[in-house]
């Protein structure tokens, strides 16, 4: 069973029932998907469901972020199937075609990768803060409250702390690299990326474009080797993310370009503050 299906809420099931089931059959449908979530797989392939969710102004009132991003991911995959190429961001306003659609689809055929991408997108709806204490002398500690949207700091902290915290920083930094490369790729090129990042206090993002992808892949690889990853049964998926970083960002690029272009700062408000 897709892990993400277990995260769907009762209002998700009701939303689906209202769209595709006649009134007299709704009770049966709701009972079926509650008992057998795998039955959702075919249901969610209906493109009309995606269109309804995409057009909704109060989308997170009607459905959960898990269903929303699952529908967007499925639509992005459908779009990739229709083309022989994907578009690669090489400048702030410049994209070039790359004929890698088949490889992208091969990577996305793995349920674990799809689940991971949905979970990743959900995790960036809200910014998370954490407190660190740095020693400044004997018995003197400096307290600082930080955001998990500061890529450079996440990387720095991953090298300074022990497990299990090292794994947390490595994984989050890898996730942030993929999130930025996929949803906000235009901010990673040229002078505008620096000034935008600086003004929004996200950190300077020393790694840009391909450098960020390479660093993200390295971070996922390091995270996959952690004992914590093994305990959480994440080693395998993190290894896949590390080996296929460039391909896993492609459906996020499609989402950002086609379906989130005018809404992404509303859906991910931490990127606009």
């Amino acid at each position: 069973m897709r892990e993400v299906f277990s995260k769907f809420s009762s209002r998700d099931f009701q939303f689906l029932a209202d769209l595709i089931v006649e009134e007299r059959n709704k009770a049966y449908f709701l009972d079926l998907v509650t008992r057998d979530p795998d039955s959702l797989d075919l249901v969610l392939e209906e493109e009309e469901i995606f269109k309804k969710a995409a057009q909704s102004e109060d989308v997170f009132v009607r459905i959960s972020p898990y269903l929303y991003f699952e529908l967007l991911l499925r639509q992005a995959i459908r779009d990739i199937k229709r083309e022989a190429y994907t578009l690669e961001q090489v400048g702030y306003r410049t994209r070039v075609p790359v004929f890698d659609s088949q490889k992208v689809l091969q990577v996305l055929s793995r349920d674990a990768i799809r689940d991971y991408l949905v979970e990743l997108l959900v995790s960036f709806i809200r910014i998370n803060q954490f407190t660190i204490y740095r020693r400044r002398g004997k018995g003197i500690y400096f307290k600082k409250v930080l955001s998990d949207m500061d890529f450079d700091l996440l990387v720095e902290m991953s090298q300074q702390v022990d497990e299990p915290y090292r794994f947390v920083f490595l994984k989050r930094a890898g996730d942030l690299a993929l999130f930025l490369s996929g949803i906000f790729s235009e901010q990673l090129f040229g002078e505008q990326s620096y000034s935008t990042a600086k003004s929004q206090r996200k950190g300077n993002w020393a790694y840009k474009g391909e450098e960020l992808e390479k660093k993200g892949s390295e971070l996922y690889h390091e995270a996959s080797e952690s004992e914590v990853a093994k305990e959480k049964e994440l080693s395998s998926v993190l290894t896949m993310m590390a080996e296929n970083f460039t391909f896993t960002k492609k459906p996020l690029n499609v989402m950002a370009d086609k379906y989130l272009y005018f809404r992404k700062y509303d859906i991910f408000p931490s990127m606009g503050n």
Side-chain angles (χ1 to χ4, degrees), residues 120-151:
L120 180 149
L121 290 168
V122 172
S123 76
F124 283 104
I125 291 176
R126 293 182 178 85
I127 194 169
N128 298 305
Q129 294 185 329
F130 55 93
T131 302
I132 62 171
Y133 294 86
R134 285 183 168 175
R135 189 170 182 175
R136 290 293 180 86
K138 188 175 181 181
I140 301 174
Y141 291 86
F142 176 70
K143 176 182 176 181
K144 191 172 184 180
V145 179
L146 305 165
S147 144
D148 65 356
M149 292 294 290
D150 190 327
F151 180 77

Side-chain angles (χ1 to χ4, degrees), residues 55-72:
Q55 294 167 2
S56 178
E57 292 296 326
D58 56 349
V59 62
F60 290 153
V61 173
R62 303 196 64 189
I63 62 176
S64 73
Y66 291 99
L67 177 57
Y68 179 71
F69 289 123
E70 173 68 14
L71 291 172
L72 257 63

Side-chain angles (χ1 to χ4, degrees), residues 78 191 222:
R78 283 193 288 267
E191 291 299 317
E222 288 186 65

Side-chain angles (χ1 to χ4, degrees), residues 27 101 104 118 130 252:
S101 291
V104 173
V118 172
F130 55 93
L252 305 187

Side-chain angles (χ1 to χ4, degrees), residues 1-40:
M1 183 184 81
R2 289 282 306 282
E3 287 295 324
V4 74
F5 290 174
S6 66
K7 305 291 181 67
F8 290 172
S9 66
S10 58
R11 72 178 188 272
D12 291 335
F13 298 142
Q14 189 63 56
F15 174 81
L16 297 172
D18 291 342
L19 282 180
I20 64 173
V21 181
E22 294 182 2
E23 189 65 37
R24 66 177 183 273
N25 294 325
K26 284 184 180 180
Y28 171 77
F29 173 81
L30 293 171
D31 180 62
L32 174 63
V33 295
T34 302
R35 289 187 292 102
D36 181 20
D38 280 339
S39 62
L40 284 168

Side-chain angles (χ1 to χ4, degrees), residues 8 12 50 59 68 84 98 117 145 156 163 185 208 223 234:
F8 290 172
D12 291 335
F50 159 75
V59 62
Y68 179 71
V98 179
L117 291 175
V145 179
E156 178 187 344
E163 298 289 12
S185 58
K208 306 285 199 312
L234 289 173

